[in-house]
Amino acid sequence: MSALYTWLRRHPRLVDGVLAAALAFAGLAVILIMHRWLTIPTILGVTVPVVFRRAHPVGAFATGVTAGAAQVAFDLRPTPADLAIVILLYTLAAYTTRRLSVIGLAVCLLGSVAELGRLKHVMAAGTADWLLVGSIVFAGPCLIAWVLGDSMRYRRAYYANLEERAARLERDRDAQAQIATAAERARIARELHDVVAHNVSVMVVQADGAAYALGTDPGRAREALAAISATGRQALAEMRVLLGVLRSSDEAGEARKAGPGAAGLPGIPAGAAAATATASRAALAPVPGIGQLDDLLDQTRAAGLHVTCTVEGEPLPLPDGTALAAYRIIQESLTNTRKHGGPWARACVLLRYTADAVELAVTDNGLGGAAASDGAGHGLTGMCERAAMYGGTVQAGPRINGGFQVTARVPIAPARAGAA
């Protein structure tokens, strides 16, 4: 049944054609009985427009009303085909504006009055009965058709509004999802860049030192190789923490379960067990922040860059996001100094706490402007994006007396007591 209804909705012209043919057949049957052949043109005039009522509601109604007026003017008797006027009025009210439909209703009511005046002399009932019968037979169907058509127009507009609103909400949802996806990708790209650039630069420096000392000082070479190994494990640990948001909880649970007892299982090499245990601990490692700044400075010094750190003001409890942003800004600044400052570069880190913000300044005496050219500029861009996420600012550029300087200011969001 639903398939038939769907098929009929796809072919409205066929449905209207069948309806027009039925009305025309009913009218012609009456004509054959009464032998009033002059009524045939008016029957066709009111029924044929029914076929085109949906595509051309105003034209179809005007044609049908014109044929009805001709029927009244030539004193022709009503037929069942005149019900087409009611159908055309319904279509006018359902598919056009209310102003046009009210005009069409007024025209139909005037025609009903004219038809009642013409037929009054053939009715033997009194005036009251004549008005009652006339209202029921002529004016009543017109009013009912107009009310039904106007109600259909209102419901159609209401449903169209709902569909438009749903489509708009769906577009907004898709746009928000795309924005969120782009923001998440940018965040992951910043984290990957900071982690990889810092640790890989340390490993490159240590590898160069090991290669230089391999023939003359094997002990120093072994220390450099150990530093490379430790830095690589730390990089893997940080990357595993970062990429943990992209892994399922089941995979993380299996890694944690395999960590503690893997070293005692037969057939598993000790190195693989250690790597698995490191991965397990990485899943539970804290997010880097100001508390890990000493480790970062020690690692930087071990890579051959002389760096000092000064803290001013009373240390305040920082939210995790603000502490991570400050840590990454310092890390990226030291990485740029190590990569572009030259072999004799020295760096100085200034960390200042104020009442409402934490201020950073990383200064070096290296090659200056060369530090700004970091490939596609992802490092400096990432620092600016990190600070902007918390309402802060970053300024970076060569110093007048030589070297390069990065200054940042990150506001401190209100933190709960004990949330250091």
Side-chain angles (χ1 to χ4, degrees), residues 184-207:
E184 184 66 14
R185 287 178 176 175
R187 185 185 70 84
I188 295 175
R190 288 194 301 269
E191 293 289 343
L192 284 174
H193 175 272
D194 293 344
V195 172
V196 173
H198 173 74
N199 291 284
V200 170
S201 63
V202 172
M203 295 170 65
V204 169
V205 172
Q206 295 287 354

Side-chain angles (χ1 to χ4, degrees), residues 28-52:
L28 292 175
V30 174
I31 294 304
L32 292 177
I33 296 175
M34 300 178 61
H35 301 287
R36 294 183 178 272
W37 309 108
L38 294 178
T39 313
I40 294 179
T42 60
I43 292 176
L44 297 178
V46 297
T47 55
V48 172
V50 174
V51 181
F52 309 97

Side-chain angles (χ1 to χ4, degrees), residues 312-326:
E312 297 181 358
E314 183 179 358
L316 300 175
L318 300 180
D320 293 341
T322 304
L324 176 62

